[in-house]
Amino acid sequence: MNHNLSAMIGVDPRFNNDAIYQKTLGLNDFYLGDGKGGPPLGNVQLLGRVSGPILKSDLKAVPEFVLNAVSRKTIDFLIMSEDLPDPNSRVRLDGERIVLEWHRTNMTAHEG
């Protein structure tokens, strides 16, 4: 089993996030729908504190002191959805090698 994961960061220059234990809230979608197992959407939870060095890994051209200032104005979420079973995804043997064949699924629900 695998999960589709994305980070979403909200920035508000009027807000100072001084939380120490930010990862204390989560929302789940337990596949409720029409009784036939509606589309699986997964979970949204607080990510914990994003810092300048963490942001720097994706924003290499931005000075770290700027990213540190921005990170003090954010609230950070982790978006998670199920990567559903696919008959083309499998682990198999090829002689003495272990081969993983994986095809990502459910991205329409994840990105929605």
Side-chain angles (χ1 to χ4, degrees):
M1 173 186 272
N2 195 15
H3 293 96
N4 301 315
L5 302 171
S6 295
M8 180 177 70
I9 298 174
V11 180
D12 185 340
R14 301 164 298 171
F15 173 71
N16 282 316
N17 188 348
D18 58 2
I20 296 170
Y21 303 109
Q22 182 168 294
K23 195 173 178 176
T24 57
L25 174 70
L27 307 166
N28 292 302
D29 179 346
F30 293 109
Y31 313 97
L32 301 176
D34 58 3
K36 298 178 183 176
L41 296 178
N43 171 278
V44 177
Q45 63 188 31
L46 289 170
L47 184 58
R49 294 299 307 277
V50 170
S51 64
I54 290 171
L55 293 173
K56 185 75 173 168
S57 67
D58 281 336
L59 302 167
K60 294 179 182 13
V62 181
E64 195 167 315
F65 77 91
V66 172
L67 297 173
N68 284 329
V70 169
S71 71
R72 289 190 292 272
K73 305 287 185 179
T74 67
I75 188 162
D76 318 304
F77 294 92
L78 174 70
I79 317 296
M80 181 176 8
S81 64
E82 297 293 332
D83 183 32
L84 301 172
D86 182 324
N88 297 311
S89 293
R90 63 191 65 189
V91 178
R92 63 180 177 82
L93 291 175
D94 181 14
E96 294 186 13
R97 294 179 351 147
I98 298 173
V99 179
L100 173 64
E101 295 175 349
W102 172 53
H103 303 273
R104 184 177 296 275
T105 63
N106 203 31
M107 289 306 290
T108 300
H110 181 77
E111 293 170 347

